[in-house]
C-alpha cells in the first residue's frame, strides 16, 4: 500500500524534468509509468493524473514564483474526459501543456535564436547534444550561434549544456530515489564516472554527497 500511494501521488522525477524543460525525457518516463498504470482502477489512474497535474503546478510555483493557473485548470478539465483507454494521451497532454508554458526558462534572453536554442537544449538534455545538432534543429549557422552564446548567455555552448545537465542531475539527486546510473543517463552522461567527474568540477562535491536518502 505504501508503494502504491508513492507511485500514484509522488511524481518528483517528472516535476523536475518538466521544470527544466526536458519534455522528451518526461514523456519517456510517463510512458514507463503507463505500463504500471494498466493494472490500476480508473479511479486510481485519475488520482495519479490529478496529482501529477497539481504537483507540476506547485513545483514551478515554489521554485519560480510563477503561477501557471490557467494551464492547471485546463488540465483539470481534460481529466473529466479520462477513461481507461485514453489516459495515456491525457497524461502526455498534461506534460506538453506545461512544457509549452516554460517562459521562465528563456524570459531573461531577448534574442529569439537563443530562445529557440535553449528550448531545444532543455528538451534534449538526455541526448547527445552538439553545437551542430542544435544548429541543424533550429536552422542557424553554428559560428553565429557560438558567438551568440558568448555574447548573450556569457558562457560557451558547451559550458551551458554541461551546466544545465548538472542542474537537472542535482535536482533529481535531491528529490528522487533514482539510482546514480539512471540519473547519469537521464542527464546525458554515458558513464557514472564521467558524470561524477563533471559534477564535482561544477559543484565542488561528488553527486553521492547530496543524493536523497
Amino acid at each position: 500500500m505504501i508503494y502504491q500511494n508513492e507511485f500514484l501521488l509522488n511524481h518528483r522525477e517528472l516535476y523536475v524534468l518538466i521544470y527544466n524543460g526536458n519534455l522528451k525525457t518526461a514523456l519517456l518516463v510517463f510512458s514507463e509509468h503507463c505500463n504500471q498504470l494498466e493494472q490500476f482502477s480508473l479511479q486510481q489512474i485519475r488520482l495519479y493524473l490529478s496529482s501529477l497535474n497539481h504537483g507540476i503546478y506547485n513545483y514551478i510555483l515554489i521554485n519560480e514564483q510563477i503561477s501557471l493557473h490557467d494551464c492547471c485548470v485546463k488540465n483539470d478539465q481534460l481529466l473529466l474526459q479520462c477513461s481507461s483507454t485514453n489516459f495515456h494521451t491525457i497524461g502526455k497532454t498534461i506534460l506538453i501543456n506545461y512544457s509549452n508554458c516554460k517562459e521562465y526558462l528563456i524570459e531573461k534572453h531577448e534574442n529569439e535564436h537563443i530562445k529557440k536554442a535553449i528550448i531545444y537544449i532543455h528538451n534534449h538534455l538526455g541526448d547527445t547534444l552538439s553545437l551542430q545538432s542544435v544548429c541543424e534543429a533550429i536552422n542557424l549557422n553554428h559560428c553565429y550561434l557560438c558567438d551568440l552564446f558568448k555574447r548573450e548567455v556569457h558562457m560557451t555552448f558547451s559550458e551551458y549544456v554541461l551546466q544545465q545537465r548538472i542542474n537537472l542531475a542535482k535536482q533529481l539527486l535531491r528529490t528522487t530515489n533514482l539510482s546514480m546510473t539512471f540519473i547519469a543517463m537521464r542527464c546525458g552522461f554515458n558513464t557514472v564516472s564521467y558524470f561524477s567527474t563533471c559534477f564535482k568540477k561544477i559543484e565542488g562535491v561528488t553527486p553521492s554527497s547530496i543524493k536523497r536518502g
Side-chain angles (χ1 to χ4, degrees):
M1 180 63 71
I2 293 176
Y3 169 75
Q4 185 181 91
N5 289 338
E6 177 81 8
F7 176 72
L8 293 174
L9 299 173
N10 194 335
H11 317 291
R12 285 185 297 258
E13 182 183 6
L14 287 171
Y15 303 161
V16 172
L17 290 169
I18 291 298
Y19 171 70
N20 280 279
N22 197 343
L23 174 63
K24 181 177 180 180
T25 304
L27 290 174
L28 289 174
V29 172
F30 176 71
S31 293
E32 294 169 2
H33 287 189
C34 283
N35 294 330
Q36 299 180 60
L37 285 171
E38 296 282 358
Q39 63 186 305
F40 290 98
S41 68
L42 179 57
Q43 182 179 3
Q44 289 171 314
I45 290 172
R46 286 175 173 168
L47 175 62
Y48 170 97
L49 293 175
S50 178
S51 65
L52 174 64
N53 179 34
H54 289 269
I56 295 173
Y57 169 82
N58 286 322
Y59 193 88
I60 293 173
L61 179 63
I62 290 169
N63 284 279
E64 293 293 329
Q65 289 76 56
I66 292 176
S67 173
L68 302 182
H69 176 263
D70 291 344
C71 184
C72 187
V73 170
K74 179 181 178 181
N75 289 336
D76 274 338
Q77 292 171 345
L78 272 180
L79 292 177
L80 298 175
Q81 308 165 29
C82 182
S83 71
S84 57
T85 58
N86 71 359
F87 74 86
H88 311 78
T89 301
I90 288 179
K92 289 179 180 178
T93 303
I94 288 172
L95 296 176
I96 291 169
N97 285 344
Y98 276 114
S99 181
N100 290 335
C101 296
K102 57 192 174 190
E103 292 87 358
Y104 53 86
L105 289 173
I106 61 174
E107 62 183 359
K108 58 188 173 183
H109 302 293
E110 296 182 0
N111 187 282
E112 290 301 318
H113 296 307
I114 283 293
K115 290 181 179 181
K116 289 179 181 178
I118 286 175
I119 290 173
Y120 184 85
I121 288 168
H122 280 270
N123 279 338
H124 295 81
L125 286 174
D127 300 338
T128 300
L129 276 171
S130 67
L131 182 66
Q132 189 62 41
S133 66
V134 174
C135 287
E136 289 175 0
I138 64 173
N139 193 29
L140 197 66
N141 177 275
H142 71 280
C143 291
Y144 177 59
L145 183 59
C146 185
D147 290 339
L148 269 181
F149 259 89
K150 292 178 181 176
R151 186 168 68 249
E152 302 284 338
V153 188
H154 308 298
M155 61 177 71
T156 67
F157 169 84
S158 297
E159 288 170 342
Y160 182 82
V161 170
L162 178 58
Q163 183 64 66
Q164 298 314 310
R165 283 175 165 162
I166 295 300
N167 287 346
L168 174 57
K170 191 163 52 174
Q171 290 183 67
L172 290 174
L173 287 164
R174 287 174 172 166
T175 61
T176 75
N177 290 316
L178 297 172
S179 70
M180 198 74 71
T181 299
F182 202 71
I183 289 175
M185 289 190 299
R186 284 274 187 244
C187 299
F189 297 95
N190 293 327
T191 66
V192 173
S193 60
Y194 180 59
F195 166 53
S196 296
T197 298
C198 292
F199 193 95
K200 188 171 184 179
K201 179 180 179 182
I202 298 294
E203 296 296 320
V205 295
T206 62
S208 58
S209 68
I210 68 168
K211 190 171 187 332
R212 183 176 182 268

